[in-house]
């Protein structure tokens, strides 16, 4: 069972950062029009701490050490647990960097975040950004990452054991009757209770606003005048929030695979549902051209009918996988969704579907496990735990109970005949969260900020293109760069046009011409 709105790093392609669709999206039953009326900042209700309040933190010196990957250094930075009470307890945040390689004059630090919420920025830096970003960018920036509070190496939120997570991911997310609805609600409640029992101290303090304040603390500790940043998927919301809080300190911001902060949870989840339907149609069209496509060589509608029939069959009779875990509908759906993030995974998905339809669910299970970041020993990374913790704090829940989900099902099924029902029910999880949301949907304008580059992909499943259009229009200094293609996010995914435009902006601060489109 997915915990939707996942803005996450795809485990299938490390260069791709993503979002899924979590039930912990933005605001309750409010409409997007209502949400858009909230034009004020969504900053801390308690108010910003003063420079004097933060002096013990901004004056700290990081003790850099080697951390297992050649040329990379790691350190631990302290931040206030509660920015409203900066003299209170602190939290330890993991920071990593690789210094600018030269040649050329060093511009400063370039922070990166791969999304999630819950994706490890440090892991992303060490496995991709710090070695795979274009050489001219790495030559002139110290590449830096900080795992957001509650994520990976930064006092991670924990909720369930591996065995408990196995059971949680298998719960039927397309309930057929009242008993199955109750079982799904029970699973969400137990997940929330596990998070509260294990990580109750940190749960109220993992909001995106607090993570953005942490980024400004990193900026000051590193001695940078401006924050330069590349954020993907959820990382775009984090970056936009930073610009909202600190417009005068905002440097060169690339927001790739953008979120729309003005949307309610209900609207966000429905938009994502439609986004995955768009991605599925692209996959189905491509699949029909391939020899032996498991969804047939007919129309997209035929492919949709075949996939839904397959999911229904897996629901009735889970498929063997060669291990103790079987592939039911929930895990099968997650496996398909995982491959929607990157068209490079489509061949793997075709093979996995072919095998599953012949009675071997191992391939789809592998895709689902990659999505959940479950390793071969049965241990899960904290991605899904942090994802729920941040999402449920940032925005009020989509639904308050099963009756509201039932009422919304037609609109979700209209958005996606393939995924709609499951996405709707997955949107229930924040209804049972132990901490009340502190954020609300609102427009972000960041008046006074330097030019900000927003990147959108026309057939992005997880962050639909219209979100990038909306965010670029909201930001007073926003410029939209469009990638006409498939997959989640655009930078570093094979388009020279996109990469050149972003590199130019990062190196000299000049955004591309208005309306620039790439393929």
């Amino acid at each position: 069972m997915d915990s939707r709105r996942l803005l996450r790093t795809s485990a299938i392609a490390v260069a791709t950062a993503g979002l899924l669709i979590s039930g912990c999206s933005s605001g309750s039953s409010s409409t997007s029009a209502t949400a858009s009326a909230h034009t004020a900042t969504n900053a801390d209700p308690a108010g910003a701490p003063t420079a004097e309040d933060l002096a013990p933190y901004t004056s700290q010196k990081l003790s850099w050490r080697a951390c297992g990957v050649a040329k990379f250094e790691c350190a631990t930075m302290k931040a206030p647990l509660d920015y409203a009470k900066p003299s209170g307890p602190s939290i330890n945040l993991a920071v990593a960097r690789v210094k600018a390689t030269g040649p050329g004059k060093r511009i400063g630090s370039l922070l990166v975040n791969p999304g999630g919420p819950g994706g490890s920025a440090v892991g992303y830096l060490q496995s991709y950004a710090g070695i795979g970003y274009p050489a001219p960018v790495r030559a002139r920036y110290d590449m830096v990452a900080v795992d957001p509070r509650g994520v990976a190496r930064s006092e991670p939120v924990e909720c369930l054991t591996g065995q408990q997570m196995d059971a949680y991911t298998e719960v039927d997310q397309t309930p057929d009757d009242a008993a199955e609805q109750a079982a799904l609600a029970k699973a969400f409640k137990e997940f929330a209770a596990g998070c509260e029992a294990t990580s109750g101290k940190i749960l109220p303090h993992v909001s995106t606003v607090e993570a953005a304040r942490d980024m400004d603390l990193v900026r000051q500790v590193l001695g940078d005048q401006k924050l330069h940043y590349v954020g993907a998927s959820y990382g775009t919301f984090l970056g936009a929030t930073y610009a909202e809080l600190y417009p005068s300190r905002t440097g060169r911001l690339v927001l790739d695979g953008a979120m729309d902060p003005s949307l309610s949870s209900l609207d966000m989840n429905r938009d994502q549902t439609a986004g995955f339907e768009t991605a599925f149609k692209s996959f189905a069209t491509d699949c029909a051209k391939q020899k032996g496509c498991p969804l047939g060589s007919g129309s997209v509608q035929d492919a949709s009918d075949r996939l839904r029939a397959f999911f229904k069959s897996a629901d009735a009779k889970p498929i063997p996988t060669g291990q103790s875990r079987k592939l039911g509908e929930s895990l099968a759906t997650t496996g398909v969704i995982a491959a929607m993030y990157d068209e490079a995974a489509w061949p793997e998905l075709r093979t996995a579907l072919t095998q599953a339809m012949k009675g071997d669910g191992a391939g789809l299970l592998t895709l689902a496990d990659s999505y959940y970041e479950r390793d071969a020993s049965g241990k899960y990374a904290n991605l899904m735990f942090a994802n729920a913790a941040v999402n449920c704090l940032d925005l009020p829940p989509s639904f308050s109970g099963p009756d509201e989900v039932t009422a919304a099902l037609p609109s979700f099924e209209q958005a996606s005949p393939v995924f709609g029902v499951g996405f709707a029910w997955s949107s229930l999880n924040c209804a049972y969260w132990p901490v009340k949301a502190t954020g609300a949907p609102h427009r972000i304008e960041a008046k006074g900020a330097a030019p900000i580059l927003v990147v959108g992909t026309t057939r992005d499943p997880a962050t639909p293109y219209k979100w990038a259009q909306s965010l670029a229009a909201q930001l007073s200094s926003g410029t939209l760069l469009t990638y006409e293609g498939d997959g989640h996010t655009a930078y570093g995914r094979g388009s020279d046009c996109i990469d050149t435009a972003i590199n130019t902006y990062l190196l000299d601060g000049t955004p591309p011409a208005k309306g620039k489109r790439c393929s």
Side-chain angles (χ1 to χ4, degrees):
M1 174 184 47
D2 322 35
S3 179
R4 304 281 183 192
R5 196 169 69 82
L6 178 64
L7 297 102
R8 52 155 302 154
T9 303
S10 169
I12 298 170
V14 72
T16 308
L19 164 150
L20 195 131
I21 308 185
S22 153
C24 312
S25 297
S26 31
S28 190
S29 59
S30 61
T31 66
S32 57
T34 301
S36 297
H38 296 281
T39 56
T41 177
N42 198 37
D44 312 72
T50 66
E52 183 179 358
D53 290 334
L54 293 179
Y57 293 101
T58 56
S59 62
Q60 66 185 301
K61 304 296 182 184
L62 299 185
S63 179
W64 295 102
R65 63 188 183 278
C67 52
V69 180
K71 298 184 180 180
F72 285 82
E73 300 174 300
C74 292
T76 300
M77 185 187 79
K78 290 189 176 296
L81 176 65
D82 184 351
Y83 275 95
K85 300 176 182 177
S87 61
S90 63
I91 186 172
N92 292 320
L93 304 178
V95 185
R97 74 177 179 187
V98 58
K99 290 184 177 180
T101 60
K105 182 180 179 181
R106 178 183 174 277
I107 296 172
S109 302
L110 181 65
L111 266 69
V112 296
N113 183 282
S120 171
V122 171
Y124 176 71
L125 178 75
Q126 293 181 330
S127 64
Y128 176 68
I131 55 177
Y133 268 31
V137 173
R138 290 184 287 113
R140 299 187 59 196
Y141 283 100
D142 292 345
M143 302 291 294
V144 177
V146 55
D147 278 349
R149 49 180 59 212
V151 174
R153 300 162 178 84
S154 293
E155 301 200 15
V157 171
E158 299 291 346
C159 301
L160 301 178
T161 66
Q163 285 186 328
Q164 290 171 329
M165 272 298 290
D166 280 347
Y168 178 77
T169 61
E170 293 170 7
V171 174
D172 190 348
Q173 60 183 342
T174 58
D176 300 314
D177 52 37
E180 290 187 350
Q181 290 180 19
L184 181 58
K186 181 173 181 285
F188 286 140
K189 292 175 183 177
E190 290 176 348
F191 183 97
C195 298
E196 183 178 29
T198 308
S199 303
K201 178 182 177 182
I202 196 175
L203 288 187
H205 302 294
V206 293
S207 71
T208 296
V209 166
E210 288 162 305
R213 293 207 179 281
D214 293 339
M215 289 205 306
D216 196 59
L217 192 57
V218 173
R219 177 195 64 80
Q220 294 180 74
V221 169
L222 293 177
D224 290 315
Q225 294 300 310
K226 302 276 187 176
L227 181 92
H228 305 303
Y229 175 81
V230 177
S233 198
Y234 162 78
T236 68
F237 180 44
L238 180 58
T241 299
Y242 181 90
E244 178 183 34
L245 293 171
Y246 309 107
S248 66
R249 304 174 193 174
T250 297
R252 300 166 192 176
L253 263 61
V254 177
L255 308 180
D256 184 13
M259 290 182 64
D260 181 353
S262 73
L263 291 178
S264 74
S265 176
L266 200 53
D267 289 332
M268 184 174 289
N269 281 320
R270 272 194 295 243
D271 281 355
Q272 285 187 308
T273 304
F276 277 92
E277 181 71 14
T278 297
F280 170 72
K281 289 178 178 177
S282 289
F283 165 73
T285 299
D286 178 78
C287 187
K289 301 174 184 177
Q290 311 299 325
K291 183 179 180 180
C293 172
L295 300 180
S297 57
S299 67
V300 170
Q301 183 61 55
D302 290 340
S304 176
D305 291 342
R306 288 195 182 201
L307 186 59
R308 282 185 289 166
F310 167 70
F311 286 154
K312 186 175 181 180
S313 173
D315 187 27
K317 186 178 180 181
I319 303 165
T321 64
Q323 53 179 286
S324 60
R325 301 159 67 217
K326 290 189 175 182
L327 186 83
E329 181 184 16
S330 292
L331 286 171
T333 303
T334 301
V336 172
I337 288 169
M340 293 297 100
Y341 281 87
D342 186 357
E343 65 272 27
W346 290 356
E348 182 179 356
L349 177 58
R350 290 197 305 269
T351 300
L353 279 171
T354 298
Q355 293 172 341
M357 290 176 177
K358 293 179 179 178
D360 179 4
L364 276 180
L365 184 63
T366 296
L367 284 168
D369 285 349
S370 74
Y371 178 88
Y372 285 122
E373 294 195 359
R374 179 193 191 273
D375 67 22
S377 71
K379 180 177 174 56
Y380 288 77
N382 97 305
L383 171 67
M384 303 307 296
F385 310 142
N387 180 258
V390 175
N391 284 334
C392 294
L393 195 58
D394 274 351
L395 296 163
S398 297
F399 304 115
S400 63
D403 289 346
E404 290 186 5
V405 181
T406 300
L409 282 176
S411 65
F412 276 80
E413 290 185 273
Q414 183 178 5
S416 174
V418 177
F419 304 116
V421 173
F423 280 13
W425 281 105
S426 293
S427 303
L428 182 61
N429 64 331
C430 283
Y432 310 109
W433 200 247
V435 183
K436 185 178 180 180
T438 56
H442 66 292
R443 291 174 58 84
I444 292 182
E445 298 178 2
K447 292 181 179 179
I452 296 172
L453 183 55
V454 179
V455 187
T457 298
T458 55
R459 294 185 295 278
D460 190 316
T463 50
Y465 177 62
K466 67 179 183 178
W467 290 3
Q469 292 176 301
S470 178
L471 180 60
Q474 290 172 43
L475 291 167
S476 61
S477 60
T479 294
L480 177 64
L481 173 63
T482 298
Y483 173 56
E484 296 177 344
D486 296 293
H488 184 42
T489 72
Y491 189 37
R493 298 191 67 244
S495 169
D496 289 339
C497 175
I498 287 289
D499 292 354
T500 298
I502 293 176
N503 294 344
T504 299
Y505 168 74
L506 288 173
L507 294 173
D508 66 23
T510 304
K514 183 178 180 180
K516 184 173 180 61
R517 302 178 76 89
C518 297
S519 58

